[in-house]
């Protein structure tokens, strides 16, 4: 059976992830390279492991997390769908079982807030891992944090982000430390409200309540 480590260390797959990020860099988007996809993989796997899902499901979810943004190699537009097709081809070539491929492809194809729906536990975990990755280090050029790009300003303003599952496994909280010198709390909601609503639906799919805590204040 294919493992997360095999996928993560596969030279061809690493090239595609790297080139997908280069495409986004050319388009002016924030970092989507190894730091992002690894963070999504680890967090999505952690969520399902904490909630008691089978070990193989956790492993497949980490694989989906690593591959989830590979569609940016083609174009940012509809990248979740093109990424699902690319992932199918890559996993099929490497001999993965069709039942496992289908779960991964479905999760990748449903992670974008434009068209995605948390159709499964795996998809829900990928959504939460992806949409919670807001951090200063995703800004490619700090010289551009001057008010001209709200996405750079908001990401740069987040000095710490954590996704925390409550001890009773009833809630999941995105906890952000936001430096208001660079961005106001309302700026965060202006660009990320749709993502937070998607996170709420993903949390519900996993039997959780989604909460947002910014600078110690519960906002959702």
């Amino acid at each position: 059976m294919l493992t997360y480590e095999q996928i993560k260390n596969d030279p061809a797959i690493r090239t595609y992830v790297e080139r997908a990020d280069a495409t986004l860099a050319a388009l002016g988007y924030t970092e989507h390279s190894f730091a992002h996809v690894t963070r999504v993989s680890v967090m999505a796997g952690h969520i399902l492991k904490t909630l008691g899902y089978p070990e193989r499901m956790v492993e497949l979810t980490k694989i989906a997390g690593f591959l989830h943004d590979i569609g940016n190699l083609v174009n940012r537009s509809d990248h979740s769908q093109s990424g699902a097709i690319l992932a199918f081809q890559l996993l099929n070539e490497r001999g993965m079982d069709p039942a496992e491929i289908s779960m991964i492809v479905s999760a990748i194809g449903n992670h974008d807030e434009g068209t995605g729906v948390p159709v499964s536990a795996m998809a829900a975990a990928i959504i939460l891992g992806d949409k919670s990755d807001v951090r200063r280090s995703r800004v490619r050029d700090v010289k551009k944090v001057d008010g001209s790009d709200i996405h750079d300003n908001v990401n740069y303003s987040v000095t710490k982000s954590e996704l925390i599952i409550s001890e009773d496994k009833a809630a999941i909280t995105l906890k952000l430390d936001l430096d208001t010198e660079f961005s106001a709390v309302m700026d965060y909601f202006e660009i990320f409200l749709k993502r937070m609503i998607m996170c709420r639906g993903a949390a519900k799919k996993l039997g959780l309540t989604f909460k947002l805590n910014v600078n110690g204040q519960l906002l959702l």
Side-chain angles (χ1 to χ4, degrees), residues 17-167:
V17 171
E18 189 174 39
R19 295 310 302 166
D21 182 57
T23 298
L24 290 186
L27 293 171
Y29 284 87
T30 52
E31 176 269 323
H32 282 72
S33 190
F34 298 115
H36 173 63
V37 299
T38 300
R39 185 180 176 114
V40 173
S41 297
V42 171
M43 179 52 66
H46 169 73
I47 290 169
L48 293 194
K49 183 176 181 179
T50 301
L51 295 177
Y53 282 82
E55 183 178 340
R56 184 58 182 167
M57 177 64 74
V58 172
E59 189 80 357
L60 293 174
T61 299
K62 291 170 70 176
I63 291 172
F66 197 79
L67 296 174
H68 83 280
D69 266 344
I70 204 167
N72 288 311
L73 179 66
V74 180
N75 194 291
R76 181 61 177 175
S77 179
D78 298 323
H79 77 283
S80 58
Q81 284 80 23
S82 56
I85 294 169
L86 287 170
F88 168 82
Q89 183 68 27
L90 291 167
L91 297 174
N92 188 53
E93 287 175 351
R94 286 156 179 77
M96 180 176 274
D97 182 85
E100 294 188 340
I101 293 176
S102 65
M103 290 187 286
I104 291 172
V105 166
S106 182
I108 292 174
N110 278 282
H111 83 271
D112 185 67
E113 62 268 20
T115 56
V117 175
V119 294
S120 65
M122 183 186 295
I126 296 297
I127 288 167
L128 288 164
D130 183 38
K131 308 314 172 192
S132 66
D133 188 17
V134 186
R135 52 186 161 82
R136 176 166 289 185
S137 55
R138 293 197 72 182
V139 177
R140 297 181 189 274
D141 186 355
V142 297
K143 294 178 182 177
K144 294 182 179 179
V145 184
D146 57 5
S148 61
D149 189 324
I150 190 173
H151 288 84
D152 279 348
N153 286 11
V154 168
N155 276 281
Y156 192 79
S157 71
V158 177
T159 58
K160 185 178 181 180
S161 62
E162 299 177 277
L163 200 56
I164 305 166
I165 299 176
S166 61
E167 290 188 10

